Amino acid sequence: MTIIHLAILLQTSPPKQETSDVIFLAILSVVLILLTGVSGRINMGFQVPGFPRPLSSKRKEILKKHFPYYSQLSPNRRKRFEQKIQYFIHVKEFIPRQIPVVTDEMKVLISACAVQLTFGYPKVFLSHFKRILVYPDNYYSTINKTYHKGEVNPRLRAIVLSWKAFVEGYFNPKDGRNLGLHEMAHALRLENLIMNAEYKFFDGAVLQQWQQQADMEMKNIAAGKSRMFRDYAGTDPDEFFSVAVENFFERPKKFKSLMPNLYAILVLLLKQDPLNPI
């Protein structure tokens, strides 16, 4: 019985008991529909904080076509991934720079990149960073007087990406170079330090182990002895973390084989293992 049918029945003025029953059924129907909407079973066209909202079939197709990480997940984990993407898109402001608009495909894939990195933390959405700025290509920074592919600006609460460089990062999924993951890793590391609802989600003991192992490997990089990471990883601990994240997702077998201790710590830190995505 639909709500429209129930309304018609109300207008026919049945006996008092029947009227009460119909009113009860009408209220029950509305409550059930609302609960179904906020539970993520159907898309009601609104977002309720704390409740999932289903991803549209169009957006799912974008993921299936362009995002291998998504396809490797089990059905249940895939649904959680979709819900987290939907919420990420909802709470972020996507701002076009030198392009007419940030397309839905851009929003989905950039959000999927962020969710890929934060998937082990269901309540972490990089909440400090409200804005995602998207340029078509490398852009000129008036602050650093140089061209950039991407950056994270905590003062402006922004993550900035070159769309061309972002896409190129997924063209070759095994080269250990991925702009999206690199910049999202910077944002994740900063988010852990910023005092808000997502403050200090990293386990302190695990983070300390990571820093010890990272210091050792950065010395190897400086001495030209690293078998895993490019020289840029030796710039500072922040860049090391971002480069490690790129390799963690793009070259997990090699990473684990050459640096099992560092890999195991990163599994604990990110609460996921690319070699066992199910």
Side-chain angles (χ1 to χ4, degrees):
M1 181 180 291
T2 68
I3 293 177
I4 294 175
H5 290 150
L6 290 168
I8 293 172
L9 285 173
L10 285 172
Q11 294 175 2
T12 60
S13 300
K16 186 174 182 180
Q17 181 59 46
E18 292 182 15
T19 301
S20 299
D21 292 342
V22 171
I23 292 174
F24 172 76
L25 288 173
I27 294 173
L28 181 62
S29 298
V30 172
V31 170
L32 288 174
I33 290 172
L34 289 174
L35 287 175
T36 304
V38 299
S39 68
R41 294 176 182 270
I42 61 174
N43 194 325
M44 297 288 290
F46 60 83
Q47 183 77 34
V48 178
F51 290 92
R53 177 181 172 185
L55 203 66
S56 69
S57 57
K58 181 181 178 181
R59 287 178 171 178
K60 289 179 187 178
E61 286 302 315
I62 292 172
L63 291 174
K64 290 176 184 177
K65 185 176 181 181
H66 300 294
F67 212 78
Y69 179 94
Y70 169 79
S71 301
Q72 296 171 1
L73 299 173
S74 67
N76 286 338
R77 288 171 64 81
R78 197 176 299 171
K79 183 177 180 180
R80 289 200 296 108
F81 193 81
E82 294 165 4
Q83 292 169 344
K84 197 168 185 190
I85 287 176
Q86 184 67 27
Y87 189 73
F88 191 92
I89 293 173
H90 175 73
V91 298
K92 304 300 180 185
E93 181 184 6
F94 290 83
I95 303 172
R97 286 287 186 263
Q98 301 172 11
I99 54 175
V101 65
V102 179
T103 67
D104 203 48
E105 181 179 71
M106 292 176 177
K107 291 179 182 180
V108 169
L109 294 178
I110 291 171
S111 300
C113 177
V115 173
Q116 175 180 349
L117 184 54
T118 63
F119 198 42
Y121 293 91
K123 296 182 180 180
V124 172
F125 291 89
L126 306 178
S127 63
H128 178 77
F129 300 95
K130 303 294 186 184
R131 305 171 187 87
I132 312 290
L133 279 64
V134 184
Y135 285 84
D137 205 337
N138 297 356
Y139 58 93
Y140 186 74
S141 171
T142 56
I143 298 175
N144 299 325
K145 308 299 181 183
T146 186
Y147 283 90
H148 286 260
K149 293 181 179 179
E151 64 182 299
V152 174
N153 190 320
R155 183 176 63 84
L156 297 179
R157 308 185 74 171
I159 298 171
V160 190
L161 300 168
S162 154
W163 178 245
K164 179 182 178 183
F166 179 89
V167 171
E168 287 174 347
Y170 285 97
F171 275 161
N172 187 345
K174 298 185 182 299
D175 64 351
R177 293 174 181 262
N178 185 301
L179 174 75
L181 288 172
H182 188 99
E183 299 304 333
M184 295 301 174
H186 279 313
L188 184 71
R189 189 175 171 91
L190 285 167
E191 190 72 46
N192 184 64
L193 300 173
I194 297 170
M195 294 191 68
N196 57 27
E198 297 178 2
Y199 179 56
K200 284 191 175 181
F201 47 84
F202 283 151
D203 182 283
V206 176
L207 189 60
Q208 186 175 12
Q209 292 179 52
W210 168 263
Q211 290 169 344
Q212 292 171 350
Q213 291 288 325
D215 289 343
M216 293 171 56
E217 183 57 23
M218 288 179 69
K219 291 178 181 178
N220 289 334
I221 295 172
K225 297 180 180 179
S226 179
R227 296 182 296 164
M228 186 71 210
F229 302 128
R230 61 186 187 273
D231 291 346
Y232 188 64
T235 304
D236 56 48
D238 290 330
E239 296 300 344
F240 182 85
F241 179 72
S242 287
V243 172
V245 164
E246 291 176 273
N247 284 275
F248 181 73
F249 285 108
E250 292 210 337
R251 302 193 293 180
K253 288 183 180 179
K254 182 177 180 180
F255 195 161
K256 186 175 183 178
S257 174
L258 295 177
M259 309 180 73
N261 291 336
L262 193 65
Y263 183 88
I265 294 171
L266 199 49
V267 167
L268 294 175
L269 202 60
L270 299 181
K271 294 188 176 181
Q272 60 176 304
D273 185 351
L275 293 176
N276 186 25
I278 309 299

